[in-house]
Amino acid sequence: MGNELRFDGKVAIVTGAGNGLGRSHALLLASRGAKVVINDLGGSSTGGGRASEAADKVVAEIKAAGGEAVANYDSVEDGTKIVQTALDTWKRLDIVINNAGILRDTSFQKMTEQDWELIYRVHLLGAFRVTQAAWPHLRDQGYGRLLFTASAAGIYGNFGQANYSMAKLGLVGFANTLAIEGRKKNILVNAIAPIAGSRMTETVLPKEVVDALRPEYVSPLAAWLCHEECQETGSLFEVGGGFMAKLRWERTRGKVFKLGRAITPEAVQKSWESITDFTEATHPTDVAAGMQPVMDNLTSQSKGGNEFIDVDAALGYQFPETTSSYDERDLSLYALGVGAAQDPLDTKELQYVYELHGEGFRPLPTYGVIPALNSVLKMSAEGKQAPGLNYGLDRVLHGEQYTELLRPLPPKASLRHKGRIKDIFDKGKNALVVTEVTSYDAQTGEPLVRNEITTFVRGAGGWGGERGPVTDIPPPERAPDAVITEKTHENQALLYRLSGDWNPLHADPEFARNFGFQKPILHGLCTFGYVGRHVIKAFANGDPRLFKSIRVRFADTVLPGETLRTEMWKDGERVIIRCKVVERDKVVISNAAVELHKEVPSAQAKPAASAQASAPAAAGGGSASARVFEAIRAYVAQHPELVAKVANVYLFKLTQPDSTWTLDLKNGAGAVQQGAQGKADCSLELTDADFLAMTSGKADPQKLYFGGKLKITGNVMASQKLGFLGKVGSAGEGSAPAKASAAPASGNEGSGSSHVGNGRASALFTALQERLAQKPELARELGAVIQFHITDPEGFWVVDGKGTPSVRDGKADKADLALRLSDEDLAALVQDPQAVQRLYQHGKLRVDGDIRLASRLGFLKQLI
Ligand code: NAD
């Protein structure tokens, strides 16, 4: 057997080798060339007596088989002598198998100190003495193999073996450390927990089992672990009856308690599941790996907290996204709730509550807090609290509010709300928790409003955490620049609560009394709405679109029926505010300011992700090229034959500013989509400005190409088929046909809002212009000038059926009929001009002028 694992020239000590496992190990090693010291005290299995017979018999067996062995009759407690036997006989030592053992089984109840002591002496002290005597020799020669004999009783525990279990697992620990200390000197150390039929087990196992579990099934593993080729060290194996397996430690992922605050037994109890759950277990193999989570925790400092607030758990928490929607009705109800339009003849106030208002319906910007707050209230009603915030509603007050309009609110919208715990501040006795909610237009994905709702949590501070910035906004010394005084209604809270804050504190007299108030109190956010409206009145000429943001601190409660006096100081672009209840001369809103825009910001929506010609959506980015693509879309819709003629997909990569568009003149009815859609046959790369010049006929594509200003990749020939682009142009740029029929825009409102609009109206009027150019008789049937005022997004167009029929953007000097409707309703009207009746009756269409002309809108039919 050329591959036989041999022990020629190696000297081994096997303690307790007179019987059982020790004997089996010794016979195997000797049969493979090892010289073996057969140590055995020769006593009983409980440690009594001694005799040389046991060892002698095994030595004789080995010798009879042609092996080399020497007997030693010392107790392992005299380990030095055993080692000396090896050195005296063969002058060397390579292998030590600590195997000798006895049992003193008894229940712990009956266990004597002698039982404990004897077991300790034979197993642990004996193994120590033998190993300590052998160690210097092994180190000096730079080679050694040590094997310790543990037991399942030590690993798992076993009734009646408290002493034995102690010793056996003690040996595992002993072996583990020797493995580390011996590694450098090539001394490899392992332990086995065997099971075998022997004197030891014959009293506890049935005879058949004892006979079947032969020690010879264990010894091969022992021999391999003691062989030169085996590099295993520091390991523990279970072995017996033909089964061999390695054991290791397994640790749960565990729970890390941030340091820096008390770790309580209650916290341990609460975390019991994560402390004990093995689903994400690890298997550390050394002390460093074992310590890893501890060291990690030491280096990551806690942000602090207490039983009310766990800053580490709560800070940065992101709430699940929520959705909601609102329309003019919600806005009007809110506006009434914050005291708007008390004078129904005041046109600047009427705009907040009347959807057909002549100047246009305008949302009150402070409404921006309502959908966000409602989403938070809804989550808290559903029990969805951020982790780590463990206080009840009885401790909280709405302390401060910041609301920022990222663009003017549309009159109706579907919203998505994203919330997170933005800041947590320790104010000493109390704490502040700042929840940030950003509301996005669900259709365009654009952020509309950002809110910071600051909750004051009574008695929850004091962990020594960050105090947060000073948000004081002291009013100037001088007299206010403007003051508006307004009395609230006795039923103001009942009206305001319909916007979503249903807390009975604002409606139920008894409930309010229980909280120490003489009657239900007004919502802090109702007063917030009053002051916001007052600033718009006093400093924005009644135009709510100039409103950028508002920050307030709620200083005291207001009772419905009381009079609010808003004092305002202009301070650059902001207006510092203080609001008092006149009757009690109490400041109810302090440290407050409103920021105003200098000009009305653009209300243009970003483009929807894609738009088919059959369903044009809000157009892109407001850039001129976006409007050109809008016009191309309309043109393609009008010329379905292009798809068959051109049969290519084009990708336009515009730069300065960057935008990408796909013009599909190959599939279906053709399409214009923003972004790269599908595989293009031909790509054109040029600047936005050159693209405009090209499509308005001012620049020749050939010249751009040869001048290096237009890069064409893919099928260059396909670019030759784009000649029709010169015919399209945009309403803004004025292409050839557009110039022919469109008069320049007139009657600029000067408000900064776009006259052309960027919704589908732009495409519709471009298409109408084409239609009337082709069929002027349609316009002549109309025989009148119609002014269209499209909202959401806003735009003005004039359809002139007198003289040369034309469609142009802007306002007419004199229109026979004026129609105001939303972009969406215009699309509905185009689908079915009969819808005019329905839109009018539902208040969605405002008609001024000769109402009879409204029945002559047939020219709009099936424009798309
Ligand atoms: P065993 O009784 O057959 O053999 C043990 C031998 O050790 C005996 O010959 C005994 O005379 C000798 N001995 C006792 N005290 C001594 C001392 N002070 N100095 C020198 N020799 C001494 O038992 P075994 O079953 O072969 O056990 C061998 C080892 O295996 C023991 O350490 C035991 O604890 C361990 N073990 C055995 C089993 C099993 O199922 N047999 C299970 C777990 C662990």
Side-chain angles (χ1 to χ4, degrees):
M1 284 239 291
N3 291 336
E4 193 183 74
L5 295 167
R6 301 283 308 173
F7 292 87
D8 300 314
K10 296 281 190 283
V11 173
I13 290 174
V14 181
T15 66
N19 282 294
L21 286 162
R23 173 179 164 272
S24 171
H25 301 337
L27 288 176
L28 182 58
L29 292 183
S31 73
R32 289 171 176 249
K35 300 180 180 93
V36 189
V37 175
I38 307 296
N39 159 262
D40 206 297
L41 183 64
S44 73
S45 65
T46 51
R50 58 193 303 163
S52 57
E53 199 190 332
D56 287 343
K57 256 172 84 180
V58 177
V59 171
E61 260 185 277
I62 291 173
K63 285 189 171 164
E68 281 188 71
V70 63
N72 173 285
Y73 317 115
D74 290 305
S75 165
V76 282
E77 290 175 63
D78 293 317
T80 327
K81 290 185 185 163
I82 304 171
V83 170
Q84 201 54 52
T85 302
L87 298 175
D88 288 349
T89 315
W90 296 297
K91 314 245 172 315
R92 65 178 293 137
L93 179 60
D94 304 284
I95 297 164
V96 177
I97 299 182
N98 285 298
N99 166 80
I102 54 163
L103 285 179
R104 301 285 289 196
D105 288 0
T106 179
S107 69
F108 188 59
Q109 171 82 356
K110 293 184 190 148
M111 192 173 284
T112 63
E113 196 169 322
Q114 197 195 7
D115 293 330
W116 180 270
E117 177 76 16
L118 261 175
I119 289 292
Y120 159 73
R121 295 192 75 87
V122 174
H123 291 273
L124 273 172
L125 188 65
F128 162 73
R129 292 250 168 94
V130 175
T131 309
Q132 201 188 35
W135 194 253
H137 302 285
L138 303 179
R139 273 181 60 93
D140 289 350
Q141 74 187 9
Y143 179 78
R145 295 290 184 264
L146 293 177
L147 190 65
F148 287 83
T149 309
S151 164
I155 299 167
Y156 306 112
N158 199 24
F159 192 92
Q161 294 195 310
N163 49 356
Y164 182 71
S165 304
M166 165 278 294
K168 287 307 192 186
L169 210 58
L171 288 170
V172 174
F174 182 17
N176 285 341
T177 292
L178 289 191
I180 292 166
E181 293 188 13
R183 199 187 305 257
K184 266 199 186 146
K185 295 285 180 188
N186 196 17
I187 304 172
L188 306 187
V189 188
N190 293 288
I192 56 169
I195 176 80
S198 72
R199 309 194 308 182
M200 268 195 184
T201 45
E202 67 190 6
T203 51
V204 288
L205 293 174
K207 185 167 176 349
E208 317 81 77
V209 179
V210 171
D211 290 347
L213 290 173
R214 293 168 51 195
E216 288 75 16
Y217 296 149
V218 175
S219 299
L221 176 68
W224 165 241
L225 290 171
C226 292
H227 195 270
E228 201 171 351
E229 283 182 25
C230 180
Q231 293 304 304
E232 187 78 24
T233 192
S235 302
L236 170 65
F237 299 86
E238 281 187 277
V239 51
F243 170 73
M244 300 181 192
K246 183 170 167 172
L247 278 89
R248 64 178 173 181
W249 288 98
E250 183 175 37
R251 185 166 69 185
T252 65
R253 184 164 173 263
K255 159 85 189 168
V256 175
F257 294 95
K258 287 281 179 191
L259 304 178
R261 57 177 186 269
I263 301 173
T264 61
E266 292 74 22
V268 175
Q269 182 187 34
K270 251 178 97 179
S271 311
W272 199 237
E273 210 179 307
S274 40
I275 294 172
T276 56
D277 177 14
F278 274 97
T279 42
E280 288 178 64
T282 57
H283 303 95
T285 52
D286 56 29
V287 173
M291 290 275 287
Q292 194 60 50
V294 177
M295 299 314 287
D296 289 350
N297 199 31
L298 286 183
T299 48
S300 76
Q301 258 302 313
S302 164
K303 295 190 183 78
N306 51 32
E307 73 259 45
F308 301 113
I309 296 177
D310 176 341
V311 183
D312 300 303
L315 193 63
Y317 173 76
Q318 303 209 341
F319 290 95
E321 236 179 76
T322 59
T323 57
S324 68
S325 59
Y326 69 83
D327 60 16
E328 294 94 335
R329 186 178 180 281
D330 300 298
L331 292 165
S332 303
L333 188 62
Y334 168 77
L336 292 173
V338 299
Q342 294 194 35
D343 174 3
L345 302 182
D346 179 343
T347 178
K348 297 275 190 208
E349 291 273 305
L350 197 57
Q351 63 179 342
Y352 300 132
V353 297
Y354 180 40
E355 68 287 356
L356 294 179
H357 189 274
E359 301 283 305
F361 177 81
R362 300 250 190 261
L364 202 51
T366 45
Y367 179 79
V369 66
I370 298 295
L373 189 81
N374 287 351
S375 102
V376 171
L377 291 176
K378 187 165 167 260
M379 272 190 286
S380 105
E382 289 168 0
K384 289 181 195 153
Q385 175 69 295
L389 300 183
N390 306 315
Y391 44 79
L393 280 177
D394 52 323
R395 288 187 179 269
V396 306
L397 282 174
H398 192 167
E400 293 182 2
Q401 177 62 38
Y402 174 70
T403 300
E404 182 182 352
L405 279 291
L406 303 169
R407 45 172 288 223
L409 288 180
K412 60 178 164 211
S414 294
L415 302 172
R416 276 189 297 115
H417 309 286
K418 287 187 195 177
R420 66 173 179 130
I421 303 295
K422 182 175 178 274
D423 285 310
I424 297 177
F425 297 125
D426 178 1
K427 290 288 184 192
K429 224 175 132 216
N430 310 304
L432 293 181
V433 177
V434 183
T435 304
E436 181 189 62
V437 181
T438 307
S439 303
Y440 297 81
D441 184 318
Q443 245 119 54
T444 64
E446 252 189 307
L448 271 184
V449 191
R450 196 173 73 79
N451 279 285
E452 284 181 17
I453 302 161
T454 302
T455 308
F456 177 90
V457 192
R458 202 162 32 83
W463 66 83
E466 248 189 86
R467 289 193 67 87
V470 177
T471 51
D472 294 352
I473 309 173
E477 292 288 319
R478 65 177 194 273
D481 301 327
V483 174
I484 292 182
T485 305
E486 227 173 357
K487 190 169 154 43
T488 62
H489 280 288
E490 290 294 339
N491 65 358
Q492 200 71 50
L494 295 176
L495 188 56
Y496 177 82
R497 70 195 292 274
L498 301 181
S499 287
D501 185 347
W502 305 97
N503 189 337
L505 188 61
H506 306 293
D508 188 327
E510 201 178 320
F511 190 93
R513 265 198 299 278
N514 288 339
F515 274 83
F517 296 108
Q518 66 184 76
K519 61 177 183 175
I521 61 171
L522 198 61
H523 304 67
L525 280 178
C526 178
T527 314
F528 172 85
Y530 267 85
V531 300
R533 194 165 49 76
H534 291 167
V535 173
I536 296 168
K537 196 172 222 153
F539 290 98
N541 192 27
D543 190 339
R545 294 171 304 173
L546 291 170
F547 192 96
K548 187 176 172 200
S549 70
I550 177 166
R551 179 184 297 284
V552 308
R553 189 177 301 165
F554 299 106
D556 212 329
T557 46
V558 177
L559 297 176
E562 286 183 325
T563 309
L564 297 173
R565 173 187 154 92
T566 307
E567 302 166 337
M568 294 165 269
W569 292 263
K570 189 90 171 74
D571 179 36
E573 293 312 311
R574 68 174 185 170
V575 177
I576 296 174
I577 320 163
R578 181 169 61 194
C579 182
K580 285 181 174 173
V581 161
V582 173
E583 289 80 354
R584 290 180 286 131
D585 193 28
K586 269 245 176 263
V587 173
V588 289
I589 280 188
S590 64
N591 297 290
V594 166
E595 272 190 296
L596 295 172
H597 291 292
K598 271 190 186 146
E599 285 177 6
V600 175
S602 162
Q604 287 162 353
K606 281 252 168 66
S610 70
Q612 292 287 334
S614 58
S623 75
S625 55
R627 288 200 288 275
V628 172
F629 277 105
E630 200 57 46
I632 296 174
R633 177 182 286 137
Y635 187 87
V636 171
Q638 285 296 304
H639 298 86
E641 73 282 1
L642 274 175
V643 175
K645 258 199 246 168
V646 178
N648 278 306
V649 177
Y650 298 91
L651 180 67
F652 287 89
K653 291 185 207 163
L654 306 188
T655 56
Q656 307 167 25
D658 291 355
S659 67
T660 311
W661 297 84
T662 303
L663 169 59
D664 183 347
L665 294 175
K666 193 179 194 173
N667 303 300
V672 175
Q673 289 175 279
Q674 187 157 26
Q677 312 284 340
K679 198 180 167 311
D681 298 292
C682 173
S683 299
L684 298 96
E685 195 175 333
L686 68 169
T687 64
D688 195 86
D690 285 340
F691 173 75
L692 291 177
M694 187 176 96
T695 49
S696 62
K698 287 180 195 152
D700 179 34
Q702 293 264 341
K703 276 193 187 153
L704 289 175
Y705 180 66
F706 289 112
K709 291 183 163 183
L710 167 64
K711 274 191 216 137
I712 304 177
T713 47
N715 180 359
V716 180
M717 295 307 287
S719 64
Q720 306 271 335
K721 296 188 181 175
L722 287 173
F724 74 95
L725 288 182
K727 292 191 215 151
V728 179
S730 75
E733 275 296 300
S735 64
K739 268 188 215 149
S741 58
S746 64
N748 279 354
E749 193 187 42
S751 64
S753 71
S754 165
H755 293 288
V756 177
N758 290 287
R760 56 205 104 182
S762 170
L764 289 172
F765 284 106
T766 309
L768 180 61
Q769 174 186 303
E770 288 269 330
R771 171 178 282 188
L772 295 189
Q774 281 163 13
K775 294 189 180 168
E777 66 278 10
L778 283 177
R780 277 195 287 275
E781 276 166 32
L782 171 66
V785 176
I786 303 184
Q787 171 75 63
F788 283 87
H789 175 183
I790 306 301
T791 60
D792 195 21
E794 190 163 67
F796 295 88
W797 280 269
V798 181
V799 177
D800 192 342
K802 290 179 176 165
T804 312
S806 73
V807 179
R808 59 183 166 84
D809 61 76
K811 287 183 177 174
D813 291 338
K814 195 177 175 314
D816 303 297
L817 173 71
L819 301 174
R820 183 155 70 76
L821 70 170
S822 73
D823 188 82
E824 194 183 335
D825 290 333
L826 173 71
L829 198 59
V830 164
Q831 296 284 343
D832 174 17
Q834 301 295 322
V836 67
Q837 199 81 6
R838 179 172 50 83
L839 292 173
Y840 180 69
Q841 275 164 2
H842 286 79
K844 292 182 161 188
L845 171 70
R846 182 187 166 107
V847 182
D848 288 303
D850 186 350
I851 198 162
R852 289 164 305 174
L853 291 169
S855 61
R856 294 194 207 160
L857 298 177
F859 60 86
L860 285 173
K861 200 168 178 197
Q862 251 127 57
L863 204 49
I864 48 170

